[in-house]
């Protein structure tokens, strides 16, 4: 895996995300939640492969262990995020320097 290619793809994707409307982002999140539930059996099967490579005594084992209920809870949490107002563009901090320069810190899409 070439990390430079991965980072370039992430940068490109972040620009696209920055241009999406809140409505589009929420539709994507809701579709992701629906697909997560629809693929629960596949996700559980793949999770079993991951667990097989780990010792049960490892403290991370329980954190990695998925159940149908955990998958449905994840999907529910994704839906909750979709129902929240977008923080993108919110002014987090603003100040004016002695030379008159105005600085503004705004919320941007995750990963940007």
């Amino acid at each position: 895996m070439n990390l430079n290619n991965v980072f370039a793809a992430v940068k490109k994707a972040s620009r696209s995300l920055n241009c999406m409307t809140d409505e589009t982002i929420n539709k994507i999140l809701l579709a992701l939640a629906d697909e997560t539930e629809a693929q629960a059996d596949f996700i559980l099967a793949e999770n079993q492969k991951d667990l097989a490579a780990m010792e049960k005594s490892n403290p991370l084992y329980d954190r990695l262990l998925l159940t149908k209920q955990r998958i449905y809870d994840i999907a529910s949490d994704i839906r909750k995020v979709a129902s929240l107002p977008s923080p993108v563009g919110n002014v987090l901090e603003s100040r004016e320097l002695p030379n008159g320069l105005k600085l503004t810190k705004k919320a941007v899409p995750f990963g940007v």
Side-chain angles (χ1 to χ4, degrees):
M1 176 189 316
N2 182 334
L3 288 180
N4 288 332
N5 291 341
V6 172
F7 292 141
V10 167
K11 187 175 183 179
K12 183 178 178 183
S14 72
R15 289 185 182 134
S16 297
L17 180 61
N18 198 25
C19 296
M20 285 185 186
T21 65
D22 292 347
E23 182 181 346
T24 300
I25 292 170
N26 290 337
K27 284 181 182 179
I28 292 169
L29 288 170
L30 294 173
L32 177 63
D34 292 343
E35 193 62 20
T36 299
E37 289 180 343
Q39 295 295 324
D41 290 335
F42 173 77
I43 293 169
L44 289 171
E46 293 301 307
N47 181 243
Q48 287 302 309
K49 292 177 188 177
D50 293 335
L51 292 171
M54 180 181 276
E55 295 292 327
K56 286 187 177 185
S57 61
N58 187 326
L60 297 177
Y61 187 89
D62 182 59
R63 291 186 62 159
L64 184 62
L65 176 65
L66 290 175
T67 63
K68 273 206 175 181
Q69 186 58 52
R70 283 186 174 181
I71 291 172
Y72 289 132
D73 289 345
I74 290 167
S76 175
D77 288 342
I78 294 169
R79 289 185 182 96
K80 287 176 188 173
V81 169
S83 73
L84 297 172
S86 173
V88 174
N90 288 353
V91 175
L92 304 173
E93 183 181 337
S94 184
R95 63 186 165 134
E96 187 172 335
L97 300 180
N99 65 0
L101 180 65
K102 294 180 183 178
L103 299 177
T104 304
K105 183 178 181 181
K106 292 184 177 183
V108 297
F110 183 73
V112 177

